[in-house]
Amino acid sequence: MPAWIDLAPGSDFLRRLTASPLPPSIPHTMLFSHAGSSAFVPGASDGVVALSSQLDVGVQRAAARVVGLPETHVGILSSAVAGELLNEALESAFPR
């Protein structure tokens, strides 16, 4: 699948995506999933993507907040906590 090529570790797409940091006026939250296993176990993953691939150090440093959720690769999409965190991030970026 073409999207998988872009998301492969070291791909041109990912290198370009992280080559220029976001401006400080655009704070972002980094969410990652770890399928309920400890995020500190070597080889841990969300069941599909290794944590070492999800947790780019440069992206973590630039993030206003980094949150790991004990969800699977697909499970994070329907996670109530992930939804709440997304809503919080959107509310802070676009206050009413």
Side-chain angles (χ1 to χ4, degrees):
M1 181 170 283
W4 292 351
I5 294 168
D6 286 341
L7 297 176
S11 71
D12 288 340
F13 172 75
L14 290 178
R15 275 197 304 276
R16 287 193 311 266
L17 184 66
T18 58
S20 299
L22 292 172
S25 61
I26 305 176
H28 66 279
T29 298
M30 178 183 190
L31 297 180
F32 68 95
S33 56
H34 54 86
S37 65
S38 171
F40 303 105
V41 173
S45 75
D46 65 1
V48 176
V49 179
L51 286 180
S52 59
S53 184
Q54 294 183 58
L55 297 173
D56 180 274
V57 174
V59 176
Q60 288 185 68
R61 285 182 175 163
R65 188 174 179 193
V66 178
V67 181
L69 298 175
E71 300 289 346
T72 64
H73 187 73
V74 174
I76 197 168
L77 299 174
S78 59
S79 163
V81 174
E84 290 168 9
L85 291 166
L86 176 60
N87 285 332
E88 287 172 16
L90 290 169
E91 285 289 331
S92 68
F94 304 102
R96 295 176 192 203

